[in-house]
Amino acid sequence: MIEALYEIGYIQKPDDFEFIENIGVPYKHVFKVKFNIDDPDSVSYCNIDYEEYDKNKKSRYFYKANKGNGVNYTPTAKITDIETTFRVKVLKSVRVFLDKNKDNFSEKDKILLNKINDAIQNNKDKILGDLISFVKDMDLSVVKKSGTEMAVRDGGVITLTFMKDNIELYVGDLDAFKQTLLKNAYCGYYSKYNVESKSDEKQCYLCHKTTTVLGFVDTYKFYTVHKKGMVTGGFEQKKAWKNYPVCLDCAIVLERGREYIKKYLNFDKFCGFTYLIIPQLVYPDEDILQQLLKRMNNYADFSLKQTNSARIETTEERILKELSREGNIVNFNFIFYKVVNSAFNILLRIEEIAPTRLNYLIEAKYNIDKRKVDIFKEIPTKNGAIKFDFSFKFIRNFFGNSKIEGNYDKDFLLILSNIFTGREISLEFLLNRMMSKIRKDFLNGEEFSFNVDALKAYKIILYIKEIKLLKGGMFKMNTKNGQYEEFFSENGIFDHDTKKALFLEGVLAGKLLNIQFSDKQAKPFQSRLNGLKIDERVAKRLLPEIINKLEEYKKNYYRKMEESIGLYFINSDFAKFSINELSFYFTLGLTLTGQFNKEEKENEEVGNE
């Protein structure tokens, strides 16, 4: 992945002093505090001057903000309140710059900056007064609600400029600022933890040139050197360059690549997770990479309306479909992350996923979505129809993150990683969480959520099975007789008589509950279902109880189904299944009760003759 990042950075246009920030909108006005430096030993304040902001002067304005209310790294500041900005951000800026970089100055530069600081301090009241008058004279002042603070209409910036030989120099034109900050900006690549790690005449990992290599280049923190065992040769951090030797030029290219990816290949729609997509060509080719990046830039603009015709309901799945159309000259790397207190924390890396793999995952979705449409018929609601075309959001539905249900982020990302990379996923692992949520729906009387969640769980299992990653719970089809075998053969997870017995028993229980509700507007038998914790004892207890109740209501239209359940029970082997598995097949039957009305109608007609 490092190589992919480097290739992207390498083809980007270099920007002078890339660590310097754009001032950006809506800052239209630049107020220049001008000094004369013809005589470095006698720097003098001249006046306030003005120009409209020029985006082409980024490297000259030399703006580098500090967090919070701290003094900026350079003497250029965005105006909030004129007086506050001058006193906090500008007045102290040169002195702070001197103190922070005291070991990086030449004697000549140190003298010049001290004299500039003296000129600012000695004229601070006049400079502030001139600034306020200048802004007022231009009719740009805006008094804030407090009545004591003054801002600038359309946004303003204060910076310093210097006259030398009748030429106006900006902060970024003076080596005293420019070269000093350059040294300081890149020192993090080799100086950290109070240790320096660099070595001369060594080969750079990326460009393979023999040069000075640095030990702390950690663009995405793929490895760290603050823990034991992360450094080649032991725990000597100064030898970190041996682990990952990168020269300064390549470190800058990596940073350039990181900034490009952050701006253009940064997405926030994958089930709520923010993620990056980093393409990596199998064989480097600058032209092909440029074309690929241009196509990928458009992915962030996809709308959900555009996806309807493609039957892909979510933006992330549209993106995967587009990626799957790329030829196998490229692989894709995915980085899921979150930012906490400005720190970039990687949650998951999925590396080198080929377009053919993505296409396989998309085609598997299509395959299961077109089967048994009646079972997964959309459900109309006030907020729009609920559809059951497979989506990764189905998985997130069970492995979410909430105060009530808990944080299952890690489990969700693990499942996602396994799907992408082709590693097996345990059926019991899935059902443990699925049945926990479904049982909660059941016990809380949330029938609608119960049915929706059960169908989503079933669709997830069908999808995992379709991509051949389902571990456990699958058998060779055994009994193939009886009137329900057509249904079971169309739904391939019912490959064992135990599953069939539990499923049909769930259907039968659903029939009884519907009869009770129709008769009493209540479902008293629901309390006999053991909270949907179905084991062998409960399963074998329920069948005669359900039959007896149906007989009591004189509505036992399901004798063929009862007979089939009995036959399946004879061939069952409960020891092969966990309670979650048994409970799931019973639950699925309970949910799909409405799919088995033919026998009921036939027997009702016989009873009415």
Side-chain angles (χ1 to χ4, degrees):
M1 194 182 297
I2 289 294
E3 291 85 351
L5 190 65
Y6 177 81
E7 289 167 9
I8 292 172
Y10 188 80
I11 62 175
Q12 305 309 314
K13 183 180 178 181
D15 187 0
D16 292 336
F17 306 105
E18 293 169 280
F19 52 87
I20 293 300
E21 301 171 24
N22 281 310
I23 292 173
V25 294
Y27 295 91
K28 183 178 180 181
H29 311 289
V30 178
F31 301 96
K32 301 181 288 188
V33 182
K34 190 177 293 185
F35 298 87
N36 186 293
I37 60 170
D38 281 328
D39 180 1
D41 292 323
S42 182
V43 175
S44 60
Y45 165 64
C46 301
N47 60 292
I48 303 297
D49 203 353
Y50 169 84
E51 67 180 46
E52 282 198 11
Y53 171 71
D54 184 350
K55 65 180 182 180
N56 295 317
K57 289 184 177 180
K58 172 187 172 183
S59 63
R60 302 190 77 190
Y61 293 138
F62 220 59
Y63 173 70
K64 180 68 174 175
N66 199 353
K67 296 176 183 177
N69 295 321
V71 179
N72 285 356
Y73 293 106
T74 62
T76 297
K78 297 176 180 179
I79 296 173
T80 50
D81 165 62
I82 294 175
E83 181 173 355
T84 302
T85 301
F86 175 72
R87 293 193 183 280
V88 175
K89 299 287 188 179
V90 179
L91 181 60
K92 302 175 183 179
S93 60
V94 178
R95 169 49 55 197
V96 170
F97 188 83
L98 277 161
D99 292 342
K100 284 186 176 180
N101 301 281
K102 57 187 176 182
D103 296 328
N104 293 326
F105 294 112
S106 67
E107 193 60 33
K108 178 182 175 182
D109 288 340
K110 189 180 294 185
I111 291 171
L112 175 61
L113 290 179
N114 272 302
K115 294 298 182 182
I116 292 173
N117 180 63
D118 290 344
I120 295 174
Q121 301 301 324
N122 294 337
N123 295 277
K124 59 185 178 182
D125 293 332
K126 179 171 176 52
I127 293 171
L128 179 58
D130 289 350
L131 263 172
I132 293 173
S133 297
F134 198 98
V135 172
K136 286 182 176 179
D137 290 345
M138 291 187 68
D139 195 25
L140 293 174
S141 61
V142 178
V143 178
K144 293 190 173 182
K145 290 182 179 180
S146 64
T148 59
E149 296 183 334
M150 183 186 297
V152 175
R153 184 180 295 109
D154 300 322
V157 174
I158 301 173
T159 191
L160 310 183
T161 63
F162 312 93
M163 297 303 297
K164 183 176 178 61
D165 300 328
N166 293 319
I167 297 174
E168 185 177 30
L169 303 174
Y170 290 73
V171 176
D173 296 326
L174 292 186
D175 282 347
F177 288 109
K178 183 172 61 178
Q179 295 302 325
T180 301
L181 195 58
L182 180 66
K183 293 177 185 176
N184 193 52
Y186 296 136
C187 71
Y189 291 142
Y190 61 86
S191 180
K192 200 174 289 187
Y193 320 112
N194 297 317
V195 173
E196 284 196 359
S197 176
K198 58 181 178 179
S199 184
D200 297 327
E201 297 299 309
K202 297 296 187 298
Q203 188 179 70
C204 172
Y205 172 78
L206 291 166
C207 67
H208 307 297
K209 294 179 181 176
T210 300
T211 181
T212 299
V213 295
L214 315 175
F216 298 141
V217 180
D218 57 352
T219 312
Y220 278 125
K221 294 180 170 51
F222 291 138
Y223 86 102
T224 59
V225 294
H226 68 282
K227 294 181 179 179
K228 219 165 195 176
M230 297 302 292
V231 185
T232 298
F235 197 50
E236 291 186 71
Q237 290 170 330
K238 66 181 180 180
K239 293 183 179 179
W241 60 266
K242 291 184 176 182
N243 244 35
Y244 178 43
V246 177
C247 69
L248 179 59
D249 288 343
C250 289
I252 294 171
V253 169
L254 288 173
E255 185 63 21
R256 197 178 299 147
R258 187 185 72 84
E259 285 299 317
Y260 179 90
I261 291 165
K262 178 182 177 182
K263 186 174 182 180
Y264 296 109
L265 302 178
N266 194 13
F267 305 92
D268 61 356
K269 294 290 184 181
F270 210 113
C271 299
F273 287 94
T274 307
Y275 66 108
L276 309 172
I277 302 176
I278 304 176
Q280 184 170 359
L281 295 181
V282 177
Y283 300 104
D285 187 303
E286 291 185 18
D287 291 337
I288 292 176
L289 183 57
Q290 288 278 19
Q291 295 168 16
L292 174 61
L293 292 176
K294 186 177 180 180
R295 290 194 296 274
M296 292 182 68
N297 287 349
N298 297 323
Y299 294 171
D301 298 327
F302 289 152
S303 69
L304 293 180
K305 289 182 180 179
Q306 291 173 298
T307 69
N308 289 341
S309 61
R311 299 181 65 203
I312 295 182
E313 295 183 357
T314 56
T315 302
E316 63 264 28
E317 287 158 9
R318 174 70 187 271
I319 291 172
L320 293 182
K321 183 173 177 63
E322 294 298 324
L323 295 178
S324 74
R325 290 171 173 165
E326 300 293 343
N328 277 339
I329 59 170
V330 62
N331 292 322
F332 295 101
N333 303 290
F334 298 81
I335 296 179
F336 291 81
Y337 72 93
K338 66 178 177 179
V339 177
V340 180
N341 297 326
S342 300
F344 183 93
N345 296 322
I346 294 177
L347 303 175
L348 173 68
R349 282 188 294 152
I350 306 176
E351 300 188 29
E352 298 186 6
I353 304 301
T356 50
R357 178 63 185 175
L358 297 177
N359 185 64
Y360 176 73
L361 298 178
I362 294 292
E363 288 301 315
K365 166 192 161 55
Y366 288 155
N367 290 339
I368 64 164
D369 284 345
K370 66 187 179 184
R371 296 179 195 158
K372 295 302 293 181
V373 176
D374 288 344
I375 288 179
F376 296 107
K377 188 176 181 180
E378 64 182 46
I379 302 174
T381 70
K382 292 180 180 179
N383 299 320
I386 295 178
K387 299 180 180 180
F388 293 96
D389 287 351
F390 174 77
S391 165
F392 287 106
K393 288 184 178 179
F394 286 13
I395 302 173
R396 187 62 169 159
N397 177 62
F398 294 99
F399 296 89
N401 184 348
S402 71
K403 291 181 180 179
I404 296 175
E405 295 191 3
N407 186 342
Y408 295 92
D409 286 350
K410 289 184 179 179
D411 289 340
F412 172 78
L413 291 172
L414 174 64
I415 294 168
L416 190 65
S417 176
N418 284 11
I419 289 173
F420 274 54
T421 57
R423 294 195 296 269
E424 287 186 327
I425 300 169
S426 165
L427 175 62
E428 180 61 23
F429 171 73
L430 293 173
L431 289 178
N432 184 56
R433 178 68 198 125
M434 289 172 173
M435 286 310 303
S436 176
K437 184 173 177 62
I438 291 169
R439 286 183 184 116
K440 184 178 179 181
D441 294 338
F442 179 77
L443 293 173
N444 289 339
E446 298 173 1
E447 185 174 347
F448 182 81
S449 296
F450 169 79
N451 289 327
V452 170
D453 285 339
L455 289 174
K456 286 182 177 180
Y458 183 32
K459 203 59 176 285
I460 292 168
I461 291 171
L462 289 177
Y463 181 75
I464 303 299
K465 182 175 182 293
E466 181 71 18
I467 59 176
K468 298 178 175 58
L469 296 182
L470 194 62
K471 180 181 179 181
M474 294 294 108
F475 303 89
K476 290 183 178 180
M477 191 72 74
N478 47 16
T479 305
K480 289 187 178 181
N481 52 61
Q483 68 182 97
Y484 303 104
E485 286 304 320
E486 181 180 353
F487 176 87
F488 291 138
S489 64
E490 290 174 346
N491 293 269
I493 68 168
F494 297 104
D495 52 10
H496 195 281
D497 284 356
T498 311
K499 297 180 182 182
K500 298 172 186 178
L502 267 294
F503 175 82
L504 288 178
E505 189 174 54
V507 172
L508 192 64
K511 295 297 183 183
L512 173 59
L513 294 175
N514 289 342
I515 290 170
Q516 286 188 326
F517 189 78
S518 177
D519 186 58
K520 300 180 178 180
Q521 296 297 300
K523 299 179 179 181
F525 193 79
Q526 192 165 288
S527 62
R528 299 296 296 159
L529 302 184
N530 202 41
L532 292 186
K533 291 184 178 180
I534 311 296
D535 58 13
E536 181 177 4
R537 180 185 61 80
V538 173
K540 290 182 176 180
R541 167 179 63 78
L542 283 176
L543 181 59
E545 289 184 1
I546 295 171
I547 294 172
N548 287 337
K549 282 293 179 183
L550 289 171
E551 294 291 347
E552 286 179 18
Y553 283 102
K554 301 187 183 318
K555 291 185 179 181
N556 190 2
Y557 311 124
Y558 316 104
R559 290 186 175 86
K560 290 182 180 179
M561 182 179 292
E562 293 158 5
E563 182 181 340
S564 294
I565 296 170
L567 290 173
Y568 288 134
F569 268 147
I570 292 172
N571 294 318
S572 292
D573 186 351
F574 284 86
K576 291 183 176 180
F577 300 91
S578 69
I579 291 178
N580 282 327
E581 286 181 87
L582 297 172
S583 303
F584 175 72
Y585 299 119
F586 182 90
T587 297
L588 203 54
L590 204 59
T591 302
L592 295 176
T593 294
Q595 297 293 317
F596 296 85
N597 292 326
K598 183 179 179 181
E599 182 178 354
E600 179 177 346
K601 290 179 180 178
E602 289 175 350
N603 284 298
E604 279 183 320
E605 291 172 0
V606 171
N608 292 329
E609 288 179 357

